[in-house]
Amino acid sequence: MPKPDFPRSILAFQEWFVDEQACLDYLFESRWPEGFTCPRCGGRDAYPIATRRLWQCVECRYQVSVTAGTVMHKTRLSLRLWFWAAYLMATGTPGMSARQLQRQLALSRYDTAWTMLRKLRRAMVAPDRGLLSGEVEVDEFEIGGVEKGRSGGRSAIAKASTGIIAVEVRGTGSGRIRIELIDDATAATLSGFIERTVAAGAIVHTDGWQGYAKLASKGYVHRPRSQAKAKRDGDIDPVLPRAHRAISNFKSWLRGTHRGVSAEHLQVYLDEFIFRYNRRRTPMAAFQTLLGLSSHHPPSTRAEIVAEGPAAAKRG
């Protein structure tokens, strides 16, 4: 039996989740679409302890939390607030800042909104997401400014942060993307990213940087194209157009929605952009994913989120 449907409009959302009980019922149907099954004894009968968001097995009296494995695990906040936060986060095209969420949900503390959004962002990375395939464009880019007094090449950038992006080629358009922060543009780093994100046998388009030279030996069909040579030859076709378009979209989104982001948490915002980009045609369906109803993530405490640094945030 499939999991329950999701609201297709804001009016439907308001009608579906009118109170706390409606949210509890939805979580129950999502967790046990074929009816309750006790994880301890396999019993099929249970009764709710609504004040604690628990269901207790009739046979062995084992208590199961309906929010376990979701972003709402052990939360003290209203489930309606979480549902609204997930809905606003999933369906708002440019995203949602903590200040905006605080205002929209009338939260008394900015810190509460910030923590909610960070937990929702952690749910954006599926632990079992598939590799990119077919033809893929790969390029590095800098998130920072040009350093004055230097010119030319990759060393000319004041490397506040460096990212690498992979974009599936879908005709003249783009398919799925992956982005990570990297420490350098060496062959080991670039190859490692590609092996983690792109299926073996794929056609990989890159620029002429020597860091990509060993891709053919790693099971890829490598098609490098030098930007300098293309310019000299008068080739008007852009080099890596899909990757450059996605990079431009990311930078515009980051400036427009979040304004300032610390380097320690930048990977989380990259993950959010990936999530939005890959679901740009089905934003309503993303509502369930954000709540953690599609896959279980380990519970996250605020202390863990604050302590998460660049190394911990990289996605393997």
Side-chain angles (χ1 to χ4, degrees), residues 187-188 190-192 194-195 198-201 211-221:
L190 302 180
S191 296
I194 292 170
E195 290 179 285
V198 181
Y212 296 110
K214 295 183 179 180
L215 285 181
S217 67
K218 296 182 178 296
Y220 299 98
V221 179

Side-chain angles (χ1 to χ4, degrees), residues 81 87 107 146 165 169 194 242 311:
L81 285 178
Y87 182 82
L107 300 172
V146 177
I165 186 169
V169 176
I194 292 170
R242 297 162 190 82

Side-chain angles (χ1 to χ4, degrees), residues 152-181:
R154 284 163 170 78
S155 62
I157 302 297
K159 296 184 179 179
S161 297
T162 304
I164 184 169
I165 186 169
V167 184
E168 284 181 325
V169 176
R170 291 290 180 266
T172 58
S174 305
R176 297 171 296 165
I177 67 171
R178 299 284 185 266
I179 314 176
E180 284 186 11
L181 293 178

Side-chain angles (χ1 to χ4, degrees), residues 45-49 54-58 61:
D45 293 322
Y47 56 89
I49 307 175
L54 300 174
W55 263 256
Q56 181 163 304
C57 176
V58 171
R61 303 183 67 79

Side-chain angles (χ1 to χ4, degrees), residues 114 118 160-161 181 261-269 304-315:
W114 184 88
R118 285 303 304 273
S161 297
L181 293 178
V261 174
S262 64
E264 290 78 9
H265 300 297
L266 182 55
Q267 181 63 54
V268 179
Y269 292 90
E304 291 171 336
I305 291 173
V306 171
E308 189 179 61
K314 287 184 180 179
R315 307 304 176 193

Side-chain angles (χ1 to χ4, degrees), residues 82-138:
W82 278 106
F83 274 53
W84 268 110
Y87 182 82
L88 293 171
M89 186 75 160
T91 59
T93 301
M96 179 76 58
S97 68
R99 190 68 67 189
Q100 288 173 310
L101 187 69
Q102 181 188 18
R103 183 170 59 251
Q104 292 278 7
L105 300 184
L107 300 172
S108 59
R109 300 177 63 236
Y110 170 85
D111 188 65
T112 301
W114 184 88
T115 302
M116 291 177 77
L117 288 184
R118 285 303 304 273
K119 289 189 175 186
L120 290 170
R121 289 188 182 108
R122 285 170 70 101
M124 290 178 171
V125 183
D128 55 350
R129 63 185 182 181
L131 299 175
L132 307 185
S133 59
E135 293 189 45
V136 180
E137 294 182 0
V138 178

